Amino acid sequence: MTTTVTSHRPQPPAQPVTLRAKRLPGYAAPAIAVVALLVAAGIVYGAGIGGPVLVVVVGALLYLAGLYLATNAVEGRRSARNRTWSALIHSAFVLAVLPLASVVWTLVSKGAERLDGNFFLTSMNNIGARDANGGAYHAIIGTLEQVGIATLITVPLGVLCAIYVVEYGRGRFAFTIRFFVDVMTGIPSIVTGLFVLAFWVLIVSPFFNDGRPGFSGFAAALALSVLMLPTVVRSSEEMLRLVPAPLREGAYALGVPKWKTILRVVLPTALPGIVTGVMLAIARAAGETAPVLLVAGGGAAINFNPFENNQSSLALFVYQQAGEASKYSPARAWTAALTLVALVLILTVAAKLLARRNRLGR
């Protein structure tokens, strides 16, 4: 009879399997970028064919080529493609940010010259070409009143129109509304100014002004509301369509009426996007010059009444000061432009914070 003896001696531990592949060191990409810029500078300046912009362009191309070759040699072809496309995406981001950064830097550097109390507390009334004083107080008041009235007119009308199109609109009438909203999106601002001039200033306002046409800030607000309306309608419509259908269906299943579902569920859910669209419309309206010039007339004095007499705005103030034959006018124009951008930024941040506070909790 044969007896099998099993050995219980401990086996040597297995070697761990490593999945790590070779990778470029962290300093490789910056080093390739520096070498690419140096080579590009040598080529461009050595041949005398361009300046710093061409150096950056040629350097970027050399950097992409060098990064691909280095990664392909160390990490392989797939990783080389991944790194190259990532570098292209980051380059596109930088190219998109550079113009914005340039505009902000130009506004801040040139607009800071007249950031003083005199600019914000005085108007251009009785200010001559040789007077260094004078400010945009009257233009700030005009912008706030005109854009505020236009917002009060446009936002309820635009949101209600979007609610009808999304929640109730069916058939040819809803299609007609969408078509005209799309057409209004491309209307030039001066056309809206001419429309309000022909309708409100020349036909309607004489009934309230002893038979004489009356320029006013309210007429400018009407023109701005025509410009704002398609933006508000389209943005609100898209945001309402993004609200998930189960939210509506859950409310209907609980017996909630449709109007209350829209008011308590749909609108709070879409509120952040609607606010973004409204702020885009406000930013466009605040920067318009032609409608204000046509129907409000502009002016150098302070006018708190938007329903009577001429009224200015910051955009119109920038346009007028940029064309003035005075060495003090460019500084006023740059500071007014900076003020307009800061005003829109403040309103946008405030509206975003308010929308975040009031949106539907999840």
Side-chain angles (χ1 to χ4, degrees):
M1 181 175 181
T2 304
T3 303
T4 303
V5 178
T6 305
S7 176
H8 295 281
R9 288 182 300 176
Q11 299 294 327
Q15 296 294 328
V17 179
T18 176
L19 298 178
R20 294 184 178 180
K22 294 181 179 181
R23 295 185 61 84
L24 284 176
Y27 59 83
I32 294 173
V34 172
V35 173
L37 285 176
L38 292 177
V39 173
I43 295 174
V44 172
Y45 289 116
I49 57 176
V53 177
L54 186 59
V55 170
V56 173
V57 173
V58 175
L61 296 177
L62 293 176
Y63 168 72
L64 292 174
L67 182 65
Y68 179 83
L69 293 175
T71 308
N72 187 33
V74 177
E75 301 180 6
R77 188 174 181 181
R78 174 179 290 184
S79 182
R81 289 180 177 179
N82 179 58
R83 281 184 178 268
T84 304
W85 281 106
S86 298
L88 283 173
I89 292 171
H90 287 96
S91 301
F93 169 75
V94 172
L95 289 176
V97 170
L98 279 178
L100 176 62
S102 177
V103 170
V104 172
W105 172 254
T106 304
L107 279 176
V108 173
S109 60
K110 295 189 176 183
E113 183 177 347
R114 282 300 314 274
L115 283 177
D116 49 43
N118 181 267
F119 182 83
F120 293 102
L121 298 177
T122 61
S123 67
M124 291 298 296
N125 199 23
N126 298 324
I127 299 295
R130 297 182 179 181
D131 196 341
N133 294 321
Y137 180 68
H138 62 299
I140 296 173
I141 295 299
T143 296
L144 291 176
E145 291 184 350
Q146 294 163 20
V147 175
I149 294 174
T151 303
L152 291 177
I153 295 173
T154 307
V155 172
L157 185 61
V159 173
L160 290 175
C161 181
I163 290 174
Y164 172 78
V165 170
V166 174
E167 303 292 339
Y168 297 97
R170 298 292 184 273
R172 185 169 297 179
F173 184 64
F175 174 79
T176 304
I177 292 177
R178 295 193 191 98
F179 173 76
F180 279 106
V181 168
D182 292 337
V183 171
M184 289 177 63
T185 305
I187 294 178
S189 59
I190 194 169
V191 174
T192 63
L194 289 172
F195 168 73
V196 175
L197 176 67
F199 174 71
W200 180 266
V201 175
L202 298 180
I203 297 178
V204 178
S205 65
F207 290 100
F208 307 97
N209 198 29
D210 297 330
R212 296 173 299 174
F215 295 90
S216 63
F218 180 73
L222 291 178
L224 296 180
S225 65
V226 175
L227 292 174
M228 294 172 60
L229 185 61
T231 303
V232 175
V233 173
R234 290 299 294 171
S235 61
S236 301
E237 180 184 351
E238 295 301 325
M239 291 302 105
L240 292 174
R241 291 186 186 279
L242 290 177
V243 176
L247 289 178
R248 297 181 175 88
E249 294 171 358
Y252 298 153
L254 294 174
V256 181
K258 187 171 186 177
W259 68 269
K260 189 172 289 188
T261 300
I262 295 172
L263 185 63
R264 296 295 180 86
V265 177
V266 177
L267 283 180
T269 306
L271 186 60
I274 293 175
V275 169
T276 300
V278 170
M279 296 314 301
L280 288 174
I282 289 176
R284 181 192 178 185
E288 291 294 343
T289 303
V292 182
L293 180 62
L294 285 173
V295 300
I302 301 171
N303 180 17
F304 289 98
N305 188 355
F307 300 98
E308 292 183 1
N309 301 325
N310 291 12
Q311 196 175 55
S312 186
S313 68
L314 279 171
L316 182 57
F317 181 82
V318 172
Y319 170 76
Q320 292 173 338
Q321 291 300 310
E324 288 288 337
S326 173
K327 65 178 182 179
Y328 304 108
S329 296
R332 299 191 194 106
W334 282 110
T335 305
L338 178 61
T339 303
L340 180 59
V341 172
L343 183 63
V344 173
L345 177 62
I346 291 171
L347 292 176
T348 302
V349 172
K352 281 289 186 180
L353 293 177
L354 183 62
R356 180 181 299 178
R357 184 177 180 181
N358 293 335
R359 68 182 177 182
L360 182 66
R362 296 181 180 177

